[in-house]
Amino acid sequence: MYDHMVFFKFNDSLTQEKEQELLGKLKAFKGVIPGIVELTAGINVTEEKERGQGYTLGLRVTFEDEEALKNYGPHPVHQDFVASLEGVIEDVIVVDYPIE
């Protein structure tokens, strides 16, 4: 299995409504994109604001294998999500690693 973690930093044009829309799209991946074993996503609620460095939305997806992880990126539902970030995204951190 593989874990895929993504942390999103948005620009000032992001509204709460848009952030909730993005969160809903992320949560909808499970059951639609093949190979997802587990998925969690949420708004960063840490009290350590300086440590969060402005990243306010997180995603963790566990994939059944490396092939499922590789197929995730080009999947149309994922690409639709990526397109919906246009105009609001400032930065993204991505970490993928095998679970042993």
Side-chain angles (χ1 to χ4, degrees):
M1 289 195 290
Y2 280 77
D3 261 357
H4 171 72
M5 295 188 302
V6 185
F7 304 97
F8 301 90
K9 181 190 286 189
F10 299 103
N11 61 34
D12 293 337
S13 67
L14 181 76
T15 63
Q16 282 188 331
E17 293 80 18
K18 178 68 172 180
E19 189 172 46
Q20 287 299 316
E21 174 191 326
L22 293 171
L23 179 59
K25 285 186 173 201
L26 290 174
K27 289 180 175 182
F29 286 178
K30 189 170 183 185
V32 177
I33 299 176
I36 293 177
V37 176
E38 186 177 344
L39 182 147
T40 60
I43 306 298
N44 186 358
V45 295
T46 185
E47 293 180 5
E48 299 181 49
K49 298 297 182 195
E50 68 283 353
R51 298 246 185 241
Q53 299 180 31
Y55 290 85
T56 60
L57 182 62
L59 168 71
R60 184 183 59 80
V61 184
T62 302
F63 290 96
E64 60 189 20
D65 55 26
E66 186 176 11
E67 183 176 347
L69 172 60
K70 288 180 179 178
N71 291 334
Y72 162 79
H75 191 281
V77 171
H78 178 258
Q79 287 302 308
D80 176 65
F81 173 78
V82 171
S84 68
L85 294 173
E86 188 172 332
V88 296
I89 196 72
E90 183 176 317
D91 196 18
V92 177
I93 295 173
V94 178
V95 177
D96 297 326
Y97 58 87
I99 301 171
E100 299 185 22

